[in-house]
Amino acid sequence: MTLTTHAVMGAVIGQAVGHPVLGFTLAFATHLLIDMIPHGDSKMAENFHVHKVKQKQAIAYVMVDAITAIFIVLILANTKDVESLRAYTWGIAGGILPDLMVGAADIFKTPFLDKFHKFHFFFHNFFTKRFGDVPLAHALLAQIVFIVILQRVL
Ligand SMILES: [Zn+2]
C-alpha cells in the first residue's frame, strides 16, 4: 500500500483507540495485514530489491507518496475534530514505520533490519506470489477511494 494509505489508516486507528501506544501498535500490525492485499507495486519492489533496475523510478514513486502522505495527514489534522492528537500522530507513525524500516534495511545492512525486511515482505508478497498482482493504476485508484472513505471516519 502507499504510505498515504498507511498514514491515514494509522491516523484513523489512533483516533479510534484514543491511546498513543495502542494506536501505534495496532497501526503497525495493521500495516502488515493490509499490505497482504495485492496493491500493484510488487514488480516495482522486485525491480528495486532483486533486479536493481529502475531504482530511481521507485524512489520517485515513494517520494511523491511520502509528500502526499505528509500533506493529507496535515490537512486532516487541521480540518477534522481530532480528539487526541497524541493518538492520531502515534497511529500515523506506527502505520508508516514498517515501510521506513524496509527503506532503512536497504541502506543499513544490519541483521535486525534484514530480518524485518524479510518479515515485511512475507506479508507483502503473501498473495501476490501465489496469485499475481493487480495493475498499479487500479490499486492506486482503489486506495484513493479507500482514503476518501477512511477520512470520513475521523
Ligand atoms: Zn509495507
PDB file of all heavy atoms in Angstrom, residues 1-16 23 26-35 37 72-73 76 87-88 91-96 146-147 150-151 153-154:
ATOM      1  N   MET A   1       0.832  -1.184   0.000  1.00  0.00           N
ATOM      2  CA  MET A   1       0.000   0.000   0.000  1.00  0.00           C
ATOM      3  C   MET A   1       0.878   1.249   0.000  1.00  0.00           C
ATOM      4  O   MET A   1       2.040   1.180   0.368  1.00  0.00           O
ATOM      5  CB  MET A   1      -0.879   0.019   1.250  1.00  0.00           C
ATOM      6  CG  MET A   1      -1.842  -1.127   1.354  1.00  0.00           C
ATOM      7  SD  MET A   1      -3.212  -0.949   0.209  1.00  0.00           S
ATOM      8  CE  MET A   1      -3.903  -2.584   0.300  1.00  0.00           C
ATOM      9  N   THR A   2       0.265   2.361  -0.369  1.00  0.00           N
ATOM     10  CA  THR A   2       1.036   3.603  -0.349  1.00  0.00           C
ATOM     11  C   THR A   2       1.245   4.059   1.097  1.00  0.00           C
ATOM     12  O   THR A   2       0.481   3.694   2.000  1.00  0.00           O
ATOM     13  CB  THR A   2       0.285   4.718  -1.115  1.00  0.00           C
ATOM     14  OG1 THR A   2      -0.961   4.957  -0.456  1.00  0.00           O
ATOM     15  CG2 THR A   2       0.078   4.342  -2.574  1.00  0.00           C
ATOM     16  N   LEU A   3       2.272   4.868   1.284  1.00  0.00           N
ATOM     17  CA  LEU A   3       2.495   5.473   2.603  1.00  0.00           C
ATOM     18  C   LEU A   3       1.285   6.299   2.994  1.00  0.00           C
ATOM     19  O   LEU A   3       0.914   6.364   4.161  1.00  0.00           O
ATOM     20  CB  LEU A   3       3.744   6.353   2.572  1.00  0.00           C
ATOM     21  CG  LEU A   3       5.084   5.627   2.534  1.00  0.00           C
ATOM     22  CD1 LEU A   3       6.206   6.623   2.264  1.00  0.00           C
ATOM     23  CD2 LEU A   3       5.328   4.873   3.823  1.00  0.00           C
ATOM     24  N   THR A   4       0.656   6.933   1.999  1.00  0.00           N
ATOM     25  CA  THR A   4      -0.519   7.761   2.262  1.00  0.00           C
ATOM     26  C   THR A   4      -1.640   6.915   2.856  1.00  0.00           C
ATOM     27  O   THR A   4      -2.256   7.302   3.858  1.00  0.00           O
ATOM     28  CB  THR A   4      -0.981   8.453   0.962  1.00  0.00           C
ATOM     29  OG1 THR A   4       0.128   9.146   0.386  1.00  0.00           O
ATOM     30  CG2 THR A   4      -2.108   9.419   1.226  1.00  0.00           C
ATOM     31  N   THR A   5      -1.895   5.757   2.273  1.00  0.00           N
ATOM     32  CA  THR A   5      -2.929   4.858   2.802  1.00  0.00           C
ATOM     33  C   THR A   5      -2.570   4.418   4.222  1.00  0.00           C
ATOM     34  O   THR A   5      -3.410   4.440   5.128  1.00  0.00           O
ATOM     35  CB  THR A   5      -3.094   3.625   1.891  1.00  0.00           C
ATOM     36  OG1 THR A   5      -3.456   4.079   0.584  1.00  0.00           O
ATOM     37  CG2 THR A   5      -4.158   2.674   2.421  1.00  0.00           C
ATOM     38  N   HIS A   6      -1.305   4.020   4.419  1.00  0.00           N
ATOM     39  CA  HIS A   6      -0.879   3.582   5.757  1.00  0.00           C
ATOM     40  C   HIS A   6      -0.969   4.718   6.770  1.00  0.00           C
ATOM     41  O   HIS A   6      -1.354   4.489   7.929  1.00  0.00           O
ATOM     42  CB  HIS A   6       0.561   3.051   5.705  1.00  0.00           C
ATOM     43  CG  HIS A   6       0.705   1.733   5.018  1.00  0.00           C
ATOM     44  ND1 HIS A   6      -0.002   0.608   5.388  1.00  0.00           N
ATOM     45  CD2 HIS A   6       1.483   1.353   3.982  1.00  0.00           C
ATOM     46  CE1 HIS A   6       0.342  -0.399   4.604  1.00  0.00           C
ATOM     47  NE2 HIS A   6       1.235   0.017   3.732  1.00  0.00           N
ATOM     48  N   ALA A   7      -0.628   5.927   6.350  1.00  0.00           N
ATOM     49  CA  ALA A   7      -0.667   7.071   7.267  1.00  0.00           C
ATOM     50  C   ALA A   7      -2.098   7.386   7.687  1.00  0.00           C
ATOM     51  O   ALA A   7      -2.378   7.581   8.875  1.00  0.00           O
ATOM     52  CB  ALA A   7      -0.020   8.290   6.606  1.00  0.00           C
ATOM     53  N   VAL A   8      -3.013   7.415   6.711  1.00  0.00           N
ATOM     54  CA  VAL A   8      -4.416   7.723   7.029  1.00  0.00           C
ATOM     55  C   VAL A   8      -5.019   6.597   7.867  1.00  0.00           C
ATOM     56  O   VAL A   8      -5.738   6.847   8.843  1.00  0.00           O
ATOM     57  CB  VAL A   8      -5.232   7.981   5.745  1.00  0.00           C
ATOM     58  CG1 VAL A   8      -6.713   8.160   6.062  1.00  0.00           C
ATOM     59  CG2 VAL A   8      -4.703   9.214   5.013  1.00  0.00           C
ATOM     60  N   MET A   9      -4.691   5.364   7.503  1.00  0.00           N
ATOM     61  CA  MET A   9      -5.167   4.208   8.280  1.00  0.00           C
ATOM     62  C   MET A   9      -4.656   4.313   9.722  1.00  0.00           C
ATOM     63  O   MET A   9      -5.420   4.093  10.674  1.00  0.00           O
ATOM     64  CB  MET A   9      -4.651   2.926   7.618  1.00  0.00           C
ATOM     65  CG  MET A   9      -5.172   1.662   8.211  1.00  0.00           C
ATOM     66  SD  MET A   9      -6.812   1.364   7.556  1.00  0.00           S
ATOM     67  CE  MET A   9      -7.098  -0.251   8.200  1.00  0.00           C
ATOM     68  N   GLY A  10      -3.383   4.647   9.885  1.00  0.00           N
ATOM     69  CA  GLY A  10      -2.798   4.793  11.223  1.00  0.00           C
ATOM     70  C   GLY A  10      -3.467   5.907  12.006  1.00  0.00           C
ATOM     71  O   GLY A  10      -3.738   5.758  13.200  1.00  0.00           O
ATOM     72  N   ALA A  11      -3.752   7.014  11.334  1.00  0.00           N
ATOM     73  CA  ALA A  11      -4.428   8.137  11.986  1.00  0.00           C
ATOM     74  C   ALA A  11      -5.811   7.717  12.473  1.00  0.00           C
ATOM     75  O   ALA A  11      -6.212   8.026  13.602  1.00  0.00           O
ATOM     76  CB  ALA A  11      -4.543   9.311  11.014  1.00  0.00           C
ATOM     77  N   VAL A  12      -6.539   6.998  11.625  1.00  0.00           N
ATOM     78  CA  VAL A  12      -7.889   6.538  11.981  1.00  0.00           C
ATOM     79  C   VAL A  12      -7.822   5.552  13.153  1.00  0.00           C
ATOM     80  O   VAL A  12      -8.622   5.635  14.095  1.00  0.00           O
ATOM     81  CB  VAL A  12      -8.587   5.890  10.754  1.00  0.00           C
ATOM     82  CG1 VAL A  12      -9.856   5.160  11.158  1.00  0.00           C
ATOM     83  CG2 VAL A  12      -8.884   6.963   9.710  1.00  0.00           C
ATOM     84  N   ILE A  13      -6.840   4.656  13.112  1.00  0.00           N
ATOM     85  CA  ILE A  13      -6.689   3.679  14.207  1.00  0.00           C
ATOM     86  C   ILE A  13      -6.347   4.412  15.505  1.00  0.00           C
ATOM     87  O   ILE A  13      -6.945   4.148  16.558  1.00  0.00           O
ATOM     88  CB  ILE A  13      -5.619   2.620  13.854  1.00  0.00           C
ATOM     89  CG1 ILE A  13      -6.128   1.710  12.738  1.00  0.00           C
ATOM     90  CG2 ILE A  13      -5.223   1.803  15.088  1.00  0.00           C
ATOM     91  CD1 ILE A  13      -5.085   0.801  12.135  1.00  0.00           C
ATOM     92  N   GLY A  14      -5.387   5.341  15.433  1.00  0.00           N
ATOM     93  CA  GLY A  14      -5.006   6.105  16.628  1.00  0.00           C
ATOM     94  C   GLY A  14      -6.195   6.848  17.207  1.00  0.00           C
ATOM     95  O   GLY A  14      -6.448   6.800  18.413  1.00  0.00           O
ATOM     96  N   GLN A  15      -6.937   7.504  16.312  1.00  0.00           N
ATOM     97  CA  GLN A  15      -8.126   8.254  16.736  1.00  0.00           C
ATOM     98  C   GLN A  15      -9.171   7.311  17.347  1.00  0.00           C
ATOM     99  O   GLN A  15      -9.793   7.631  18.350  1.00  0.00           O
ATOM    100  CB  GLN A  15      -8.714   8.986  15.518  1.00  0.00           C
ATOM    101  CG  GLN A  15     -10.043   9.634  15.731  1.00  0.00           C
ATOM    102  CD  GLN A  15      -9.923  11.028  16.347  1.00  0.00           C
ATOM    103  OE1 GLN A  15      -8.908  11.383  16.935  1.00  0.00           O
ATOM    104  NE2 GLN A  15     -10.963  11.790  16.214  1.00  0.00           N
ATOM    105  N   ALA A  16      -9.339   6.135  16.732  1.00  0.00           N
ATOM    106  CA  ALA A  16     -10.367   5.188  17.198  1.00  0.00           C
ATOM    107  C   ALA A  16     -10.043   4.640  18.581  1.00  0.00           C
ATOM    108  O   ALA A  16     -10.937   4.514  19.417  1.00  0.00           O
ATOM    109  CB  ALA A  16     -10.515   4.042  16.196  1.00  0.00           C
ATOM    110  N   GLY A  23      -2.511   2.736  19.744  1.00  0.00           N
ATOM    111  CA  GLY A  23      -2.685   3.195  18.364  1.00  0.00           C
ATOM    112  C   GLY A  23      -1.470   2.874  17.515  1.00  0.00           C
ATOM    113  O   GLY A  23      -1.596   2.376  16.397  1.00  0.00           O
ATOM    114  N   LEU A  26      -1.279  -1.081  17.063  1.00  0.00           N
ATOM    115  CA  LEU A  26      -2.306  -1.596  16.148  1.00  0.00           C
ATOM    116  C   LEU A  26      -2.079  -1.105  14.720  1.00  0.00           C
ATOM    117  O   LEU A  26      -2.287  -1.854  13.756  1.00  0.00           O
ATOM    118  CB  LEU A  26      -3.704  -1.186  16.625  1.00  0.00           C
ATOM    119  CG  LEU A  26      -4.207  -1.900  17.868  1.00  0.00           C
ATOM    120  CD1 LEU A  26      -5.553  -1.318  18.309  1.00  0.00           C
ATOM    121  CD2 LEU A  26      -4.322  -3.403  17.629  1.00  0.00           C
ATOM    122  N   ALA A  27      -1.639   0.135  14.574  1.00  0.00           N
ATOM    123  CA  ALA A  27      -1.358   0.672  13.230  1.00  0.00           C
ATOM    124  C   ALA A  27      -0.185  -0.077  12.594  1.00  0.00           C
ATOM    125  O   ALA A  27      -0.203  -0.380  11.395  1.00  0.00           O
ATOM    126  CB  ALA A  27      -1.078   2.169  13.295  1.00  0.00           C
ATOM    127  N   PHE A  28       0.829  -0.380  13.397  1.00  0.00           N
ATOM    128  CA  PHE A  28       1.995  -1.134  12.906  1.00  0.00           C
ATOM    129  C   PHE A  28       1.552  -2.518  12.418  1.00  0.00           C
ATOM    130  O   PHE A  28       1.897  -2.939  11.317  1.00  0.00           O
ATOM    131  CB  PHE A  28       3.033  -1.266  14.034  1.00  0.00           C
ATOM    132  CG  PHE A  28       4.383  -1.751  13.584  1.00  0.00           C
ATOM    133  CD1 PHE A  28       5.402  -0.845  13.341  1.00  0.00           C
ATOM    134  CD2 PHE A  28       4.637  -3.103  13.427  1.00  0.00           C
ATOM    135  CE1 PHE A  28       6.657  -1.284  12.934  1.00  0.00           C
ATOM    136  CE2 PHE A  28       5.883  -3.544  13.019  1.00  0.00           C
ATOM    137  CZ  PHE A  28       6.904  -2.638  12.782  1.00  0.00           C
ATOM    138  N   ALA A  29       0.771  -3.208  13.234  1.00  0.00           N
ATOM    139  CA  ALA A  29       0.298  -4.555  12.866  1.00  0.00           C
ATOM    140  C   ALA A  29      -0.641  -4.495  11.660  1.00  0.00           C
ATOM    141  O   ALA A  29      -0.574  -5.347  10.758  1.00  0.00           O
ATOM    142  CB  ALA A  29      -0.407  -5.199  14.055  1.00  0.00           C
ATOM    143  N   THR A  30      -1.495  -3.477  11.637  1.00  0.00           N
ATOM    144  CA  THR A  30      -2.439  -3.330  10.526  1.00  0.00           C
ATOM    145  C   THR A  30      -1.711  -3.070   9.215  1.00  0.00           C
ATOM    146  O   THR A  30      -2.141  -3.539   8.162  1.00  0.00           O
ATOM    147  CB  THR A  30      -3.446  -2.193  10.827  1.00  0.00           C
ATOM    148  OG1 THR A  30      -4.112  -2.506  12.046  1.00  0.00           O
ATOM    149  CG2 THR A  30      -4.458  -2.031   9.712  1.00  0.00           C
ATOM    150  N   HIS A  31      -0.596  -2.350   9.285  1.00  0.00           N
ATOM    151  CA  HIS A  31       0.214  -2.119   8.086  1.00  0.00           C
ATOM    152  C   HIS A  31       0.548  -3.455   7.418  1.00  0.00           C
ATOM    153  O   HIS A  31       0.345  -3.627   6.216  1.00  0.00           O
ATOM    154  CB  HIS A  31       1.507  -1.381   8.456  1.00  0.00           C
ATOM    155  CG  HIS A  31       2.443  -1.190   7.298  1.00  0.00           C
ATOM    156  ND1 HIS A  31       2.846   0.040   6.874  1.00  0.00           N
ATOM    157  CD2 HIS A  31       3.047  -2.076   6.473  1.00  0.00           C
ATOM    158  CE1 HIS A  31       3.651  -0.096   5.827  1.00  0.00           C
ATOM    159  NE2 HIS A  31       3.804  -1.388   5.573  1.00  0.00           N
ATOM    160  N   LEU A  32       1.044  -4.386   8.232  1.00  0.00           N
ATOM    161  CA  LEU A  32       1.469  -5.686   7.683  1.00  0.00           C
ATOM    162  C   LEU A  32       0.267  -6.433   7.097  1.00  0.00           C
ATOM    163  O   LEU A  32       0.382  -7.061   6.043  1.00  0.00           O
ATOM    164  CB  LEU A  32       2.146  -6.516   8.770  1.00  0.00           C
ATOM    165  CG  LEU A  32       3.426  -5.868   9.333  1.00  0.00           C
ATOM    166  CD1 LEU A  32       3.907  -6.612  10.573  1.00  0.00           C
ATOM    167  CD2 LEU A  32       4.534  -5.788   8.294  1.00  0.00           C
ATOM    168  N   LEU A  33      -0.864  -6.344   7.768  1.00  0.00           N
ATOM    169  CA  LEU A  33      -2.053  -7.079   7.305  1.00  0.00           C
ATOM    170  C   LEU A  33      -2.625  -6.479   6.016  1.00  0.00           C
ATOM    171  O   LEU A  33      -2.971  -7.231   5.094  1.00  0.00           O
ATOM    172  CB  LEU A  33      -3.119  -7.112   8.408  1.00  0.00           C
ATOM    173  CG  LEU A  33      -2.724  -7.907   9.657  1.00  0.00           C
ATOM    174  CD1 LEU A  33      -3.812  -7.809  10.721  1.00  0.00           C
ATOM    175  CD2 LEU A  33      -2.437  -9.367   9.310  1.00  0.00           C
ATOM    176  N   ILE A  34      -2.729  -5.163   5.930  1.00  0.00           N
ATOM    177  CA  ILE A  34      -3.318  -4.602   4.702  1.00  0.00           C
ATOM    178  C   ILE A  34      -2.330  -4.650   3.534  1.00  0.00           C
ATOM    179  O   ILE A  34      -2.756  -4.608   2.386  1.00  0.00           O
ATOM    180  CB  ILE A  34      -3.940  -3.188   4.877  1.00  0.00           C
ATOM    181  CG1 ILE A  34      -2.914  -2.128   5.175  1.00  0.00           C
ATOM    182  CG2 ILE A  34      -5.055  -3.191   5.880  1.00  0.00           C
ATOM    183  CD1 ILE A  34      -3.481  -0.710   5.044  1.00  0.00           C
ATOM    184  N   ASP A  35      -1.036  -4.759   3.857  1.00  0.00           N
ATOM    185  CA  ASP A  35      -0.053  -4.958   2.780  1.00  0.00           C
ATOM    186  C   ASP A  35      -0.255  -6.304   2.080  1.00  0.00           C
ATOM    187  O   ASP A  35       0.231  -6.502   0.965  1.00  0.00           O
ATOM    188  CB  ASP A  35       1.378  -4.898   3.335  1.00  0.00           C
ATOM    189  CG  ASP A  35       2.087  -3.586   3.045  1.00  0.00           C
ATOM    190  OD1 ASP A  35       1.451  -2.689   2.440  1.00  0.00           O
ATOM    191  OD2 ASP A  35       3.267  -3.463   3.404  1.00  0.00           O
ATOM    192  N   ILE A  37      -2.965  -7.394   0.910  1.00  0.00           N
ATOM    193  CA  ILE A  37      -3.878  -7.180  -0.222  1.00  0.00           C
ATOM    194  C   ILE A  37      -3.026  -6.763  -1.426  1.00  0.00           C
ATOM    195  O   ILE A  37      -2.266  -5.789  -1.327  1.00  0.00           O
ATOM    196  CB  ILE A  37      -4.906  -6.064   0.103  1.00  0.00           C
ATOM    197  CG1 ILE A  37      -5.719  -6.430   1.335  1.00  0.00           C
ATOM    198  CG2 ILE A  37      -5.791  -5.790  -1.104  1.00  0.00           C
ATOM    199  CD1 ILE A  37      -6.529  -5.267   1.917  1.00  0.00           C
ATOM    200  N   ILE A  72      -1.664  15.123   3.314  1.00  0.00           N
ATOM    201  CA  ILE A  72      -3.001  14.581   3.614  1.00  0.00           C
ATOM    202  C   ILE A  72      -3.227  14.524   5.127  1.00  0.00           C
ATOM    203  O   ILE A  72      -4.274  14.956   5.622  1.00  0.00           O
ATOM    204  CB  ILE A  72      -3.189  13.173   2.986  1.00  0.00           C
ATOM    205  CG1 ILE A  72      -3.159  13.239   1.458  1.00  0.00           C
ATOM    206  CG2 ILE A  72      -4.466  12.506   3.495  1.00  0.00           C
ATOM    207  CD1 ILE A  72      -4.384  13.821   0.799  1.00  0.00           C
ATOM    208  N   VAL A  73      -2.235  14.007   5.882  1.00  0.00           N
ATOM    209  CA  VAL A  73      -2.446  13.927   7.333  1.00  0.00           C
ATOM    210  C   VAL A  73      -2.468  15.314   7.973  1.00  0.00           C
ATOM    211  O   VAL A  73      -3.174  15.536   8.954  1.00  0.00           O
ATOM    212  CB  VAL A  73      -1.437  12.981   8.047  1.00  0.00           C
ATOM    213  CG1 VAL A  73      -1.635  11.547   7.587  1.00  0.00           C
ATOM    214  CG2 VAL A  73      -0.008  13.438   7.879  1.00  0.00           C
ATOM    215  N   LEU A  76      -5.946  16.683   7.186  1.00  0.00           N
ATOM    216  CA  LEU A  76      -6.935  16.018   8.050  1.00  0.00           C
ATOM    217  C   LEU A  76      -6.836  16.534   9.490  1.00  0.00           C
ATOM    218  O   LEU A  76      -7.851  16.812  10.122  1.00  0.00           O
ATOM    219  CB  LEU A  76      -6.759  14.495   8.004  1.00  0.00           C
ATOM    220  CG  LEU A  76      -7.105  13.851   6.669  1.00  0.00           C
ATOM    221  CD1 LEU A  76      -6.804  12.347   6.702  1.00  0.00           C
ATOM    222  CD2 LEU A  76      -8.561  14.089   6.292  1.00  0.00           C
ATOM    223  N   ALA A  87      -2.630  10.329  20.050  1.00  0.00           N
ATOM    224  CA  ALA A  87      -3.016   9.027  19.480  1.00  0.00           C
ATOM    225  C   ALA A  87      -3.022   9.101  17.950  1.00  0.00           C
ATOM    226  O   ALA A  87      -2.598   8.159  17.274  1.00  0.00           O
ATOM    227  CB  ALA A  87      -4.383   8.610  20.009  1.00  0.00           C
ATOM    228  N   TYR A  88      -3.492  10.218  17.416  1.00  0.00           N
ATOM    229  CA  TYR A  88      -3.537  10.428  15.961  1.00  0.00           C
ATOM    230  C   TYR A  88      -2.136  10.331  15.366  1.00  0.00           C
ATOM    231  O   TYR A  88      -1.901   9.596  14.415  1.00  0.00           O
ATOM    232  CB  TYR A  88      -4.166  11.795  15.693  1.00  0.00           C
ATOM    233  CG  TYR A  88      -4.247  12.231  14.253  1.00  0.00           C
ATOM    234  CD1 TYR A  88      -5.362  11.947  13.465  1.00  0.00           C
ATOM    235  CD2 TYR A  88      -3.220  12.969  13.672  1.00  0.00           C
ATOM    236  CE1 TYR A  88      -5.446  12.378  12.145  1.00  0.00           C
ATOM    237  CE2 TYR A  88      -3.295  13.401  12.365  1.00  0.00           C
ATOM    238  CZ  TYR A  88      -4.409  13.098  11.603  1.00  0.00           C
ATOM    239  OH  TYR A  88      -4.477  13.519  10.293  1.00  0.00           O
ATOM    240  N   GLY A  91      -0.433   6.919  15.834  1.00  0.00           N
ATOM    241  CA  GLY A  91      -1.033   5.982  14.884  1.00  0.00           C
ATOM    242  C   GLY A  91      -0.409   6.121  13.503  1.00  0.00           C
ATOM    243  O   GLY A  91      -0.095   5.135  12.836  1.00  0.00           O
ATOM    244  N   ILE A  92      -0.181   7.363  13.091  1.00  0.00           N
ATOM    245  CA  ILE A  92       0.473   7.609  11.797  1.00  0.00           C
ATOM    246  C   ILE A  92       1.883   7.007  11.804  1.00  0.00           C
ATOM    247  O   ILE A  92       2.278   6.318  10.860  1.00  0.00           O
ATOM    248  CB  ILE A  92       0.548   9.125  11.495  1.00  0.00           C
ATOM    249  CG1 ILE A  92      -0.857   9.686  11.280  1.00  0.00           C
ATOM    250  CG2 ILE A  92       1.427   9.391  10.274  1.00  0.00           C
ATOM    251  CD1 ILE A  92      -0.930  11.208  11.284  1.00  0.00           C
ATOM    252  N   ALA A  93       2.609   7.250  12.892  1.00  0.00           N
ATOM    253  CA  ALA A  93       3.982   6.726  12.986  1.00  0.00           C
ATOM    254  C   ALA A  93       3.995   5.201  12.888  1.00  0.00           C
ATOM    255  O   ALA A  93       4.794   4.616  12.145  1.00  0.00           O
ATOM    256  CB  ALA A  93       4.631   7.193  14.290  1.00  0.00           C
ATOM    257  N   GLY A  94       3.079   4.558  13.612  1.00  0.00           N
ATOM    258  CA  GLY A  94       3.003   3.092  13.555  1.00  0.00           C
ATOM    259  C   GLY A  94       2.587   2.608  12.182  1.00  0.00           C
ATOM    260  O   GLY A  94       3.038   1.552  11.720  1.00  0.00           O
ATOM    261  N   GLY A  95       1.749   3.393  11.520  1.00  0.00           N
ATOM    262  CA  GLY A  95       1.263   2.998  10.196  1.00  0.00           C
ATOM    263  C   GLY A  95       2.330   3.035   9.116  1.00  0.00           C
ATOM    264  O   GLY A  95       2.332   2.210   8.210  1.00  0.00           O
ATOM    265  N   ILE A  96       3.248   3.989   9.218  1.00  0.00           N
ATOM    266  CA  ILE A  96       4.252   4.106   8.144  1.00  0.00           C
ATOM    267  C   ILE A  96       5.598   3.494   8.506  1.00  0.00           C
ATOM    268  O   ILE A  96       6.412   3.219   7.625  1.00  0.00           O
ATOM    269  CB  ILE A  96       4.455   5.579   7.702  1.00  0.00           C
ATOM    270  CG1 ILE A  96       4.987   6.434   8.829  1.00  0.00           C
ATOM    271  CG2 ILE A  96       3.168   6.146   7.132  1.00  0.00           C
ATOM    272  CD1 ILE A  96       5.401   7.842   8.387  1.00  0.00           C
ATOM    273  N   PHE A 146     -10.481   4.286  -0.951  1.00  0.00           N
ATOM    274  CA  PHE A 146     -10.372   3.818   0.436  1.00  0.00           C
ATOM    275  C   PHE A 146     -10.060   4.991   1.378  1.00  0.00           C
ATOM    276  O   PHE A 146     -10.654   5.123   2.451  1.00  0.00           O
ATOM    277  CB  PHE A 146      -9.297   2.729   0.514  1.00  0.00           C
ATOM    278  CG  PHE A 146      -9.154   2.088   1.855  1.00  0.00           C
ATOM    279  CD1 PHE A 146     -10.233   1.473   2.480  1.00  0.00           C
ATOM    280  CD2 PHE A 146      -7.925   2.075   2.501  1.00  0.00           C
ATOM    281  CE1 PHE A 146     -10.096   0.874   3.719  1.00  0.00           C
ATOM    282  CE2 PHE A 146      -7.778   1.469   3.736  1.00  0.00           C
ATOM    283  CZ  PHE A 146      -8.862   0.873   4.348  1.00  0.00           C
ATOM    284  N   ILE A 147      -9.133   5.865   0.964  1.00  0.00           N
ATOM    285  CA  ILE A 147      -8.750   7.016   1.789  1.00  0.00           C
ATOM    286  C   ILE A 147      -9.937   7.978   1.942  1.00  0.00           C
ATOM    287  O   ILE A 147     -10.182   8.495   3.040  1.00  0.00           O
ATOM    288  CB  ILE A 147      -7.516   7.731   1.189  1.00  0.00           C
ATOM    289  CG1 ILE A 147      -6.263   6.867   1.400  1.00  0.00           C
ATOM    290  CG2 ILE A 147      -7.315   9.108   1.810  1.00  0.00           C
ATOM    291  CD1 ILE A 147      -5.056   7.322   0.608  1.00  0.00           C
ATOM    292  N   LEU A 150     -12.123   6.330   4.420  1.00  0.00           N
ATOM    293  CA  LEU A 150     -11.483   6.304   5.740  1.00  0.00           C
ATOM    294  C   LEU A 150     -11.521   7.672   6.427  1.00  0.00           C
ATOM    295  O   LEU A 150     -11.810   7.754   7.616  1.00  0.00           O
ATOM    296  CB  LEU A 150     -10.010   5.913   5.592  1.00  0.00           C
ATOM    297  CG  LEU A 150      -9.572   4.489   5.889  1.00  0.00           C
ATOM    298  CD1 LEU A 150      -8.063   4.372   5.732  1.00  0.00           C
ATOM    299  CD2 LEU A 150     -10.013   4.016   7.236  1.00  0.00           C
ATOM    300  N   GLN A 151     -11.214   8.724   5.679  1.00  0.00           N
ATOM    301  CA  GLN A 151     -11.130  10.056   6.304  1.00  0.00           C
ATOM    302  C   GLN A 151     -12.490  10.531   6.823  1.00  0.00           C
ATOM    303  O   GLN A 151     -12.545  11.387   7.675  1.00  0.00           O
ATOM    304  CB  GLN A 151     -10.466  11.068   5.365  1.00  0.00           C
ATOM    305  CG  GLN A 151     -11.187  11.343   4.063  1.00  0.00           C
ATOM    306  CD  GLN A 151     -12.287  12.387   4.194  1.00  0.00           C
ATOM    307  OE1 GLN A 151     -12.193  13.295   5.013  1.00  0.00           O
ATOM    308  NE2 GLN A 151     -13.319  12.240   3.412  1.00  0.00           N
ATOM    309  N   VAL A 153     -14.324   8.743   8.621  1.00  0.00           N
ATOM    310  CA  VAL A 153     -14.432   8.177   9.970  1.00  0.00           C
ATOM    311  C   VAL A 153     -13.823   9.137  11.007  1.00  0.00           C
ATOM    312  O   VAL A 153     -14.240   9.166  12.154  1.00  0.00           O
ATOM    313  CB  VAL A 153     -13.734   6.791  10.031  1.00  0.00           C
ATOM    314  CG1 VAL A 153     -13.780   6.224  11.434  1.00  0.00           C
ATOM    315  CG2 VAL A 153     -14.350   5.840   9.027  1.00  0.00           C
ATOM    316  N   LEU A 154     -12.820   9.909  10.580  1.00  0.00           N
ATOM    317  CA  LEU A 154     -12.132  10.810  11.515  1.00  0.00           C
ATOM    318  C   LEU A 154     -13.052  11.899  12.059  1.00  0.00           C
ATOM    319  O   LEU A 154     -13.917  12.380  11.392  1.00  0.00           O
ATOM    320  CB  LEU A 154     -10.924  11.467  10.849  1.00  0.00           C
ATOM    321  CG  LEU A 154      -9.663  10.628  10.763  1.00  0.00           C
ATOM    322  CD1 LEU A 154      -8.631  11.318   9.881  1.00  0.00           C
ATOM    323  CD2 LEU A 154      -9.054  10.388  12.146  1.00  0.00           C
TER     324      LEU A 154
END
